[in-house]
Amino acid sequence: MLLKKVAVFLTFAVLILLILVGYLPIIFGFFQQDEWLGLARFIPLKNEGFWVVFLNAITPSGAHYTPLSTLLIYSMFSLFDLNYSLYAIVSIVLHISASILVFVLAKILFEDFKSAFFATLLFGVSAAGFQATAWPIADVSTHGSTIFGFASIILFIKFVKTRDGWMIALCLLTLMISLLFKEITIGFFALFPVSLFVLNSFKHHEKIKYSLIIIFVGMIYLIFRLFVFSSADQIGSGTSFDRNTFLYNVLSVPPKVLVQSIIPSFQMYDVAHQLTRFVPNSITGEINSPEYEEFVLKRTFEATNLLLFTIVVICCLVLFRHYGSKKTGLIIFSILFVLINSLVFVFAPERQGIIFTIDSRNLYLISGGTIVLVMALGNLFK
């Protein structure tokens, strides 16, 4: 028993050490972009007292409603002032916390310590979500939402296994907390009911009962968000809606998210840049010209994304067919996790036009699902 505890301790120590090796350099950075905006918003409130800050945080002021992120950021500003290293340390600690939850989740899903270790390692050092930790203040919301999102999934899986009604109640509570940090987990209101029908042995009336409960809570949140949006400062901004662009994003963003959560978009862009050199300049424009860069992004990069997605799908089908269906439920769940949650970016109010790349920080949550998929496919070889 003692040796087992020592082994677990050493495992977590190694994981944390590897994460620190990758992320400790960020403590030597400094504030940038939105972080200065956040500081500027806090300065007028600095001497106003807690209740003024609290009311400012919970008052709708835009298309998003993330009061818990605002409160946490204001708290850090009041404690750390301009000491950037402390913000970076908090960000690393939050990333380690999310990684530990990935370990717990993977241990439940795979029922195997080794698989959980490698899944956590992949998440901890993944380049896909690097920005979520390397941009400490701006992405406190991403960390908070992801941590409570992972906790919500863990509770949902425990509910599926135990049929304990308290588990689904805690699952929905943690999901609501996650949404008050950032809305990236809103897809869980669709993921959980779909998973109930596809993946477990609940009786049909139980599936309907619990799905309706989840959907009901989701509808309450949606109505609340519509109310917040209608009272926000930015309503009526005049942005146009293009149905064809929207439909294209609905179809193309999930494959792009899956691919870019495996291969960082900047590396794919470099490959697209090199491939475009084989295309005549009469089509692409002069190398490094604005026309050339536009061709790289809108043509080569886009085609590369979809080609790699096709290759991933073919590999999955071949592996699945050749090695059997030992992990069918896990593979389906991880695919649903990635595809459903990727649609959040299509509905983001600030995104206009065709979406070619997904910001690294927005892949942080989804990379957890991608890693589970990769590990599940890898386990087919056992």
Side-chain angles (χ1 to χ4, degrees):
M1 182 63 71
L2 178 61
L3 288 176
K4 186 176 181 180
K5 289 182 178 179
V6 171
V8 171
F9 173 80
L10 291 176
T11 298
F12 279 104
V14 170
L15 287 171
I16 291 171
L17 179 62
L18 291 172
I19 291 172
L20 289 175
V21 168
Y23 282 97
L24 268 183
I26 72 171
I27 67 174
F28 302 108
F30 203 60
F31 304 99
Q32 55 186 315
Q33 298 180 15
D34 292 356
E35 293 170 333
W36 287 114
L37 177 61
L39 180 59
R41 288 174 174 170
F42 172 69
I43 289 174
L45 302 171
K46 189 172 183 179
N47 298 316
E48 294 296 330
F50 170 78
W51 287 110
V52 174
V53 173
F54 178 78
L55 290 173
N56 179 269
I58 66 173
T59 300
S61 60
H64 297 283
Y65 186 71
T66 55
L68 294 183
S69 294
T70 304
L71 286 171
L72 183 55
I73 290 170
Y74 283 178
S75 298
M76 289 196 299
F77 279 142
S78 65
L79 291 171
F80 304 153
D81 201 30
L82 295 179
N83 190 338
Y84 184 84
S85 297
L86 294 178
Y87 296 96
I89 290 171
V90 169
S91 186
I92 293 171
V93 169
L94 290 174
H95 178 55
I96 291 173
S97 301
S99 300
I100 291 172
L101 286 174
V102 169
F103 180 89
V104 174
L105 176 60
K107 183 70 165 56
I108 294 172
L109 291 174
F110 293 107
E111 299 179 344
D112 176 58
F113 191 88
K114 187 184 296 185
S115 296
F117 172 83
F118 285 109
T120 308
L121 179 61
L122 287 173
F123 179 83
V125 300
S126 170
F130 179 80
Q131 188 186 55
T133 303
W135 202 2
I137 303 172
D139 287 323
V140 161
S141 56
T142 301
H143 275 135
S145 184
T146 300
I147 287 170
F148 281 95
F150 284 155
S152 180
I153 296 174
I154 291 169
L155 290 167
F156 175 76
I157 295 172
K158 285 185 175 293
F159 160 71
V160 170
K161 291 186 175 184
T162 64
R163 314 286 178 95
D164 186 346
W166 281 106
M167 287 296 173
I168 195 66
L170 289 173
C171 165
L172 294 173
L173 176 61
T174 53
L175 175 54
M176 295 300 291
I177 295 172
S178 170
L179 291 167
L180 293 177
F181 276 100
K182 193 174 184 179
E183 303 96 332
I184 54 175
T185 52
I186 194 171
F188 287 14
F189 286 121
L191 175 66
F192 291 158
V194 171
S195 299
L196 284 176
F197 276 89
V198 173
L199 300 178
N200 73 83
S201 58
F202 275 41
K203 294 179 180 178
H204 188 68
H205 74 274
E206 290 180 316
K207 295 179 180 180
I208 294 175
K209 172 186 172 182
Y210 289 113
S211 294
L212 287 176
I213 291 173
I214 296 168
I215 293 170
F216 176 72
V217 174
M219 290 300 296
I220 291 176
Y221 174 77
L222 180 61
I223 292 170
F224 170 73
R225 291 294 284 110
L226 289 173
F227 170 77
V228 168
F229 185 71
S230 66
S231 60
D233 297 339
Q234 298 176 2
I235 193 71
S237 59
T239 55
S240 59
F241 175 77
D242 187 323
R243 183 176 61 182
N244 292 333
T245 298
F246 174 77
L247 291 175
Y248 181 79
N249 283 335
V250 168
L251 295 174
S252 66
V253 165
K256 293 172 191 173
V257 167
L258 178 61
V259 171
Q260 291 178 34
S261 61
I262 299 173
I263 307 172
S265 58
F266 69 88
Q267 292 182 348
M268 290 181 55
Y269 188 83
D270 289 342
V271 172
H273 221 284
Q274 295 300 319
L275 292 175
T276 306
R277 294 180 182 273
F278 294 99
V279 182
N281 289 349
S282 58
I283 298 175
T284 64
E286 292 297 322
I287 294 178
N288 297 327
S289 67
E291 294 81 9
Y292 182 86
E293 297 297 332
E294 183 177 4
F295 185 92
V296 172
L297 177 65
K298 294 185 177 180
R299 299 291 185 269
T300 316
F301 182 79
E302 187 77 348
T304 303
N305 269 280
L306 299 179
L307 176 62
L308 288 174
F309 175 74
T310 303
I311 293 173
V312 169
V313 170
I314 292 173
C315 289
C316 289
L317 292 174
V318 170
L319 286 172
F320 190 74
R321 184 175 181 180
H322 185 71
Y323 289 98
S325 55
K326 292 178 289 185
K327 298 290 182 181
T328 303
L330 193 50
I331 292 171
I332 293 174
F333 178 78
S334 55
I335 291 174
L336 287 173
F337 180 91
V338 174
L339 297 185
I340 291 175
N341 287 296
S342 64
L343 292 174
V344 172
F345 309 122
V346 178
F347 293 92
E350 67 273 11
R351 297 301 295 260
Q352 301 296 322
I354 295 175
I355 300 172
F356 296 101
T357 63
I358 313 299
D359 289 342
S360 171
R361 67 184 185 277
N362 290 330
L363 294 172
Y364 188 68
L365 171 73
I366 290 176
S367 65
T370 306
I371 288 165
V372 170
L373 173 61
V374 170
M375 292 299 301
L377 291 171
N379 281 349
L380 290 179
F381 290 100
K382 289 185 177 180

